[in-house]
Amino acid sequence: MTPATTTPEREAAPKRWAILGAGGISERFAGCLARVDDAQLLAVGSRRPESVAQFATRVGAIKAYGSYDELVDDDDIDIVYVGNDHVDHVPTALLCVERGRHLLVEKPLGVRRDDAERLFTAARDAGTFVMEAMWTRFLPALQAARRVARSGQLGRLVSAEFSFGAVVDPHKSPRIFDPWRAGGALLDRGIYPISMAHMLLGPATQVVHASSRIRDGIDLETTATVRHGEVLVHYRAACDTSVPNTATLIGERARLTIPAVLIRPERFMIRTSDGTEQTHEHPLDGHGFEHEIRAVHEALDNGWLEHPDWKHADTLDTHAVMDEIRRRTGLRFPFEPNEPRGTEQLRAPE
Ligand SMILES: NC(=O)c1ccc[n+]([C@@H]2O[C@H](COP(=O)([O-])OP(=O)(O)OC[C@H]3O[C@@H](n4cnc5c(N)ncnc54)[C@H](OP(=O)(O)O)[C@@H]3O)[C@@H](O)[C@H]2O)c1
């Protein structure tokens, strides 16, 4: 194993990225990389050798590999972005860790908390950086909302609502309707509100209630009520209806609303109990992934194995919530040997 190291010369040079998986999100990620000054897209890798060269040309990559194995052997790479299916994230990431590659892995990092933990342990042992690509964690509007939530300005926080979903076309996104690819609303959409609540309110401490509309092995919609300490949070995620893409934090003195689109907010509103409303503007830079890319560069320059703003433990917390919701709703994918169990992994109330 040859853990990637960062020398002072490499710190000054552009970071050389590789992308594994030539799908929709990888193409969008490549567009964002192109807008970050000190990032360079060196290589792309796909399990489909027949089309990878075309993909490389489209996204402006210098090298194209027709297998993941070939790409991870390229020692010119500083960091790999894993953008393939949910079920492939951990196996692909482990392949990279074995070669000492630093990693940014799409969400959900694993199908279950156990998968994510296995990867984090391997990465720590290998001395490689790894982060789940929960890009919303680094958006200016959400960072500002977090400061407000924690400042006491809203009064004691008592409850919150998060809702995220859309009507997804099964022909355009077949993976979302395929249980063998761990499809469904919770893992694809619900993970955003769950990680956002973690960021704004701290870790979940108890899943109070969960229910899903399950059809053909995937959840079309999942709702859950989860305690984050003393705050009662109501979640809704859907992939066949256009539920509101918004969030509201309700405090005893004021409420904070993040308007649509929840995952790309550029503003939030604070409405106090006397009816006064203030809007706080926080524009995005580009599509939004640019902020997480810069966070990854910061980590590499500092030699961190995890980013302090989205730590391994944070990813594990959100996966424990999803495991527990699935245990309660009976949503188990056909490749899973047993039901996920999140109860014992949730943090005890502080
Ligand atoms: N951060 C975000 O905002 C965001 C948004 C959307 C999705 N995601 C995440 O990104 C991951 C991938 O989602 P996606 O929407 O990009 O899925 P996708 O377009 O279906 O691509 C998934 C993988 O399937 C393979 N693939 C793509 N087109 C194919 C084709 N025509 N025939 C056969 N295989 C094909 C590719 O791997 P190979 O090239 O190796 O075959 C690709 O990496 C998911 O885990 C999802 O949660 C994140």
Side-chain angles (χ1 to χ4, degrees), residues 21-25 28 46-48 68 83-86 89 106-108 135 175 181 188 192 289:
I25 200 58
R28 193 183 303 163
S46 167
R47 289 160 295 195
R48 289 166 296 136
Y68 293 177
N84 53 14
D85 272 1
H86 302 350
H89 291 168
E106 257 313 332
K107 43 58 64 174
W135 55 292
R175 68 173 178 81
R181 297 169 83 178
D188 201 72
Y192 282 109
F289 294 174

Side-chain angles (χ1 to χ4, degrees), residues 86 89-90 105-117 120 132-134 186-187 191 194-195 198 204 207 310-327 340-343 345-346:
H86 302 350
H89 291 168
V90 168
V105 183
E106 257 313 332
K107 43 58 64 174
L109 185 111
V111 173
R112 300 158 70 124
R113 184 189 180 283
D114 289 353
D115 306 327
E117 189 163 37
F120 289 143
E132 182 182 42
M134 190 41 75
L186 177 66
L187 266 63
I191 187 170
I194 292 169
S195 63
H198 184 289
V207 175
W310 192 237
K311 298 189 294 296
H312 296 176
D314 302 332
T315 291
L316 294 175
D317 286 343
T318 56
H319 279 61
V321 174
M322 294 191 294
D323 279 2
E324 179 57 12
I325 290 174
R326 288 207 294 126
R327 187 184 72 79
R341 297 191 62 79
T343 323
Q345 312 286 4
L346 293 175

Side-chain angles (χ1 to χ4, degrees), residues 130-327:
V130 61
M131 187 173 87
E132 182 182 42
M134 190 41 75
W135 55 292
T136 49
R137 184 65 190 77
F138 299 97
L139 300 182
L142 291 178
Q143 294 199 333
R146 181 182 193 232
R147 287 192 291 275
V148 170
R150 295 185 173 204
S151 69
Q153 192 184 338
L154 306 176
R156 189 173 70 88
L157 287 167
V158 291
S159 67
E161 294 171 5
F162 291 81
S163 173
F164 181 51
V167 181
V168 180
D169 181 342
H171 300 291
K172 286 193 185 144
S173 294
R175 68 173 178 81
I176 294 185
F177 297 88
D178 187 344
W180 289 95
R181 297 169 83 178
L186 177 66
L187 266 63
D188 201 72
R189 313 274 143 153
I191 187 170
Y192 282 109
I194 292 169
S195 63
M196 216 175 272
H198 184 289
M199 168 186 184
L200 297 170
L201 305 167
T205 46
Q206 184 195 6
V207 175
V208 181
H209 155 87
S211 55
S212 292
R213 268 193 299 122
I214 298 178
R215 196 170 69 204
D216 298 333
I218 61 109
D219 61 315
L220 294 168
E221 174 176 350
T222 287
T223 60
T225 303
V226 178
R227 281 188 198 285
H228 288 243
E230 294 192 345
V231 187
L232 201 58
V233 182
H234 305 281
Y235 290 109
R236 178 184 302 279
C239 59
D240 69 337
T241 48
S242 63
V243 299
N245 283 305
T246 58
T248 306
L249 308 185
I250 301 165
E252 286 180 335
R253 281 211 296 273
R255 68 170 190 256
L256 183 154
T257 301
I258 301 168
V261 176
L262 179 64
I263 63 167
R264 296 187 73 243
E266 301 206 76
R267 66 190 58 80
F268 58 83
M269 284 76 80
I270 298 176
R271 189 179 179 84
T272 48
S273 28
D274 64 7
T276 322
E277 186 165 289
Q278 280 179 345
T279 299
H280 297 246
E281 302 282 351
H282 296 275
L284 282 176
D285 178 357
H287 172 79
F289 294 174
E290 293 84 349
H291 298 277
E292 81 176 337
I293 293 167
R294 291 196 189 97
V296 170
H297 288 190
E298 179 190 21
L300 297 186
D301 285 344
N302 285 289
W304 299 335
L305 297 187
E306 53 187 316
H307 195 285
D309 282 348
W310 192 237
K311 298 189 294 296
H312 296 176
D314 302 332
T315 291
L316 294 175
D317 286 343
T318 56
H319 279 61
V321 174
M322 294 191 294
D323 279 2
E324 179 57 12
I325 290 174
R326 288 207 294 126
R327 187 184 72 79

